[in-house]
Amino acid sequence: MTLFELVKQNICVPDAAEHYGLQVNRNGMCRCPFHEDRHPSMKLNEKYFYCFGCGATGDVIDLVARLFGLSSYEAAQKLAQDFGIDPDKPPAAIALPKPERPQLKAYRQEEVHCLRVLCDYLHLLESWKVQYAPKTPEDVLDDRFVEACQMLDYVEYLADLLIAAELEQRVKIVEMLNKDGLIAGLEERLNRLKKEDDAYEKQSAA
Ligand SMILES: [Zn+2]
């Protein structure tokens, strides 16, 4: 059985959605994370999701891939790791996930949060690197381009570790990111930049 099959067979969409912080109501609906959704318009079935607002749809792997900006394979790996599925063991040997200790659950939420902020930052840097690249050798380098060049590899490295490293190493990274409010500061900055961006777009549209 492939990793994809294994993951899809063992993890249903609503469980994954809840695990990564979406609030699923009794009807299996949640607010869609892929568009500005005020009321729950995403339906979560066992095997797939569908958003009545924006048409987003897919299986459990698609959901996680889109949530975190991962490839399908990375998303399957992340799911397997977070739900304790070992692709090397035959399916019969997979025990049901043990109930998580509250401490571990709180940690996981923090990890998901860190990864979200890092991925957002990563996507911003990627676009800066293209958007603000110097057009001629004489151009003064844009700060955003410089930041992208300096930070891209490191941020990508951290995000990769948070997706694929052993728990022990991930705990250390999350600890480091939370130290001195690093991740909170970054999140605040990203929100501010996004607001400025939206305001700018509104202005140019007017
Ligand atoms: Zn939607």
Side-chain angles (χ1 to χ4, degrees):
M1 200 182 306
T2 67
L3 178 65
F4 290 99
E5 289 165 343
L6 203 58
V7 163
K8 280 195 264 193
Q9 215 170 74
N10 284 283
I11 309 167
C12 68
V13 171
D15 281 355
E18 283 198 324
H19 186 83
Y20 297 117
L22 300 180
Q23 303 224 333
V24 185
N25 70 19
R26 247 177 287 160
N27 305 322
M29 304 283 292
C30 72
R31 280 165 57 186
C32 172
F34 308 125
H35 80 275
E36 291 278 328
D37 197 9
R38 284 166 194 279
H39 305 289
S41 48
M42 182 179 268
K43 173 74 180 162
L44 304 171
N45 294 308
E46 283 291 294
K47 295 288 168 205
Y48 68 96
F49 63 93
Y50 179 78
C51 173
F52 292 94
C54 69
T57 185
D59 58 28
V60 68
I61 293 171
D62 299 320
L63 178 70
V64 173
R66 252 187 102 167
L67 270 179
F68 296 106
L70 304 173
S71 70
S72 301
Y73 188 68
E74 287 168 336
Q77 273 183 316
K78 178 168 174 55
L79 277 161
Q81 195 152 39
D82 291 348
F83 282 82
I85 292 171
D86 187 343
D88 299 327
K89 277 187 203 152
I94 297 170
L96 285 172
K98 293 189 201 100
E100 288 193 344
R101 285 165 291 155
Q103 233 178 329
L104 192 58
K105 200 167 174 190
Y107 163 73
R108 284 198 192 283
Q109 280 170 356
E110 247 174 51
E111 185 185 286
V112 167
H113 176 232
C114 282
L115 188 57
R116 263 222 150 123
V117 176
L118 280 182
C119 286
D120 283 351
Y121 185 42
L122 193 63
H123 293 148
L124 184 70
L125 290 174
E126 277 167 350
S127 73
W128 280 359
K129 198 171 178 181
V130 177
Q131 201 177 345
Y132 298 109
K135 306 277 185 295
T136 70
E138 290 82 33
D139 279 358
V140 179
L141 291 180
D142 191 289
D143 286 345
R144 286 161 288 199
F145 176 73
V146 175
E147 182 174 336
C149 293
Q150 286 171 340
M151 296 300 289
L152 249 179
D153 284 349
Y154 181 57
V155 176
E156 198 168 11
Y157 168 74
L158 285 179
D160 277 353
L161 283 179
L162 274 189
I163 292 161
E166 298 285 327
L167 180 64
E168 206 178 314
Q169 199 178 5
R170 292 185 347 244
V171 169
K172 279 194 191 136
I173 295 168
V174 169
E175 213 170 78
M176 180 199 85
L177 286 171
N178 277 317
K179 216 176 138 200
D180 307 324
L182 207 70
I183 208 82
L186 181 59
E187 189 177 25
E188 216 181 281
R189 180 171 170 231
L190 289 173
N191 284 336
R192 204 171 54 231
L193 285 168
K194 192 179 174 318
K195 261 190 214 140
E196 284 169 15
D197 224 37
D198 289 350
Y200 178 78
E201 259 169 37
K202 257 188 213 136
Q203 219 176 21
S204 1

